[in-house]
Amino acid sequence: MSKAVNYRFKPSAPKDLGKFTFAPKTKRTPLISCQGCSSKVSGYKGRCNRPVAGHGCSSCRYLGLVCYIQGAYLAPCPKDKIRQTHLRPPKCDQCEAGAHKCDWKRPCDHCDNNGLDCTGDSRGCFWRGVESDNYYGYYLTLGAGPGGIDDPYPTPGEDWEMPDDYHLQYQEWKEAGGLAPARAQPPPPPPLPPPASPPGLLPAPPPGLPLPSEDSLQEYQQLLEVVGQAIRSGIPGNLAAIMQRLDNDFRNLIPINESQAARDIGFYLQQQTTVFSRKNNDLMERVTVNVPPNDAHSSKTDEASKLNPGPQENDNWIAPIKNIVRVPVDRALSPGPGRPQFWIPWNVKSGDIQVADNSNVYPFDHPEFISTTIVQHNPFMFHPVEDGQSALASIPFWRVWDNAVMFHNQRECQAENYSTNACGNVTFTGCEDQTHSGDGMPICERCEQESRTRFIQAFEPLVMNMRQYLCWECTNGTYPILDHLAGTGVKVYCQVPPGNSLPDFKSESIVSTGLSQMVGGYYGDPLEITGCSCAMKLFGRRICSPHRLHYLLEIDNRVSRMREYCRSVYGKMVCPHCRKNAGIDNYGFQGERGGENNPFVAWVCLQCNGYVFHKKSKEAIPAKHLAVIYDPNAPIPYNPTYADKANATEALVNAARGG
C-alpha cells in the first residue's frame, strides 16, 4: 500500500517567508488538540501528535477515528507514524463481570445500550460522542465487525487498514444523514429458499404470480456478495439501498443481464475498484502527455509542443506531468450527475427508439435530416462516459488554496520550456490539480500567466462544440423545463430572478456514488466562457501546462465521442431534453426554430453534463475573472469560501511551525 503522505508540508525551521513571516521561537507553540484527544477521560490525556501536517493525529488513527479539529476532517495519519501493535481497550467493571466485549468509549457500547453505569478502568479511553466513534473503521480497528462491538470480524486473519480517504468517506456518510450503514458488513446471503418462496429481504409475491428461478436467485446473491466485499474494502456504497434496488428487479423477474441496477452496480464497482486501489497509486515523477495522431493535421504534435513546451526531444518537446498519483489522496474526485447526457436504459431494445429515414422530406444539410447510415441500434453503442464524471474531476470546484498559495516555504518553479528543464523562479504557489503529490508542481506568477493566455486562446474554438443547445420548444418560456429537471441529479447553472425559487435537482445515483451521497444540484449563476464549471476549473485555478494540455486533448476527444454516440442513437444531433428536435444552434439561432424570439437559451456541456440557462449566450461568455491570475474581489467559486481560506492559512502556519 502506498503511503498517503502529503509532502507539500515538509517541516522546516522558521524563517522569513516573504508573504508569511514567522519569528524564531524559543519555545514551540503547542498545537490545538483535536476533538478525540480533547475528549480523553480526565487523568489520561496525552499530547495530540500530528507528525505530518495536513493529516490527523496518531492517536485517532490508532483508535480508528477520523481526526476532527476546528470543523475540519483531516486525512488519516500515515500508518508508519503510529504504534504498530494494537492494545485491547481496558474492560470496565460491568464488561469484566459479564465477560462482555468492551471498547474505548466511556460509557462503552455495552453499558450505554443496556443503561448501565460504566465504571472502572479508563486508561486510554475517551468520552462517548466523538466524531466517527460509531463508524465502521472504529469497530474494525477493535477487531470487531463494522456493525458494532459484538459484530463478528468479517475477514479473520486479515488486518483492516484505514484507507487514505477515510475522512472523506465519513464526511459523505454523515452529510447523507448517517442513517444507512454505508460501510457495514453485508449479512450472510440467505439460504436457497424452497421453490414456493422468493429470496431476499421482501415477502413472497401473492399466490398465482410466477416465481423467480433458483438460477436467477444465485446470480443476484453472487452480485450481492461482491458488493458487500467491495464496501467492506472501503468503496463508498449504501448497501441497504443497493440490496433494495436489486431485490426489486429480482422480484419483478428481470434477468440479471437486463437489470439496470445490476448494470449500474457492475459499472460503479469496476470504476471504483480502479479509483480506490491504493496498491497501484505510487508517486510518478514524470508522466508523458499522449498526443493522439491526427491524419488531417500533421502538426498537432507541434501545436501541443507550443502550448506545453518541454526540453527533451524523446518527449516530442512536450513537457511531462510531474509528481502525480493516479488517484488524489487528500480529496475525493468530484462525482458525475445522476445520468450523463443522451443516456438510455440498459434494457432498451432496438425497436424502442424509432428512427425513420426522412430523406424524402429534408435535404441532407437540413438540421432535422436523419442519416440512417450512422444509426447503430443492434446493438447500441456503449455510452462514452456512463457515469458522466467530468475529465476535470480532480480539480476542485470549491477552491482549496487562496491564489494557489500552498507551500509554506518558497519552491523553485518547475514549469519547463524548450531550452531548460525548469523555470527556477521561487514561488509559494503550485498547480491545484489534486493528483499532484510528493513535491507537487510549483508554478510562478509569470509561467502561470503565459500558460493561461496560451490555453485560453486554444480553448475558445472548442467552446461552442462542447455545447449542445436545447430546441426551441423546450426553451420557449411556456414549457416548465426546470421543474422537469427536478430530482434528476443534474448540475444546473442559471440566474434566479428575485422572489423566485428553484426545485431541488439532486438525486441518488448508483453509477456515480453507489447511493452513498446525493449528486447534482444548483451551482449558481453561469460561469465565464463555458457557462458550466469546465473553464472555471481550467483557468480559474492555477494549473500546470502539462495538465492543461492533457485535459484539452481529453475534452476534445470526449466531445467528439459524445456527438458520435448521439448520432448513432438518433441519426442526428438532438435536443438533450426532448431528444426529438434539433437544437437551436443547428438553425443558426435564427427564426422560430432557432429560438430567435425565445426568452432564454439553454445548453448542456458534453464534457461535464451540466445544464446552463442564459439570456442570450450564442458564443463564449466573456472572461472577466478568468483573464487575470488573481482577482481578490472575484466571487465564489473563483475564490475560496471564507472557511476554506481560513483552513488553508492555518495549514500553512502549522506546516511552517513543523506541526
Side-chain angles (χ1 to χ4, degrees), residues 381-412:
M381 287 180 61
F382 287 107
H383 194 286
V385 190
E386 200 158 331
D387 60 357
Q389 189 174 65
S390 168
L392 308 174
S394 59
I395 303 176
F397 179 84
W398 305 109
R399 197 167 194 180
V400 178
W401 305 104
D402 189 21
N403 193 24
V405 176
M406 61 180 65
F407 304 117
H408 73 275
N409 59 343
Q410 289 184 329
R411 305 284 184 87
E412 291 186 357

Side-chain angles (χ1 to χ4, degrees), residues 232-267:
R232 285 198 300 272
S233 72
I235 290 178
N238 185 332
L239 183 62
I242 290 174
M243 292 176 73
Q244 184 66 50
R245 298 282 184 95
L246 290 175
D247 194 74
N248 288 341
D249 283 359
F250 176 80
R251 282 170 29 99
N252 288 321
L253 305 181
I254 299 175
I256 198 167
N257 64 333
E258 295 182 9
S259 164
Q260 185 63 57
R263 166 68 182 180
D264 289 345
I265 292 167
F267 183 87

Side-chain angles (χ1 to χ4, degrees), residues 136 140 144-147 151-155 181-188 228 231-232 239:
Y136 78 100
L140 290 175
D151 191 17
Y153 191 70
T155 54
R183 309 300 188 283
Q185 178 191 11
I231 291 176
R232 285 198 300 272
L239 183 62

Side-chain angles (χ1 to χ4, degrees), residues 137-153:
Y138 171 70
Y139 294 110
L140 290 175
T141 303
L142 287 167
I149 191 64
D150 294 318
D151 191 17
Y153 191 70

Side-chain angles (χ1 to χ4, degrees), residues 5 85 89 120 125 148 161 166 186-187 225 261 300 343 403 552 607 631:
V5 180
T85 56
C125 297
E161 292 187 4
Y166 184 65
E225 291 177 12
K300 192 162 188 177
W343 173 84
N403 193 24
L552 198 70
Q607 195 288 120
D631 179 0

Side-chain angles (χ1 to χ4, degrees), residues 2 35 86 158 180 215 230 239 246 283 290 307 387 408-409 441 486 505 535-536 557 562 575 596:
S2 60
Q35 185 193 48
H86 274 269
E158 297 181 15
D215 288 343
L239 183 62
L246 290 175
L283 177 68
N290 293 317
L307 289 170
D387 60 357
H408 73 275
N409 59 343
M441 181 63 185
F505 303 112
M536 190 273 297
N557 175 262
M562 285 287 287
C575 167
E596 191 171 5

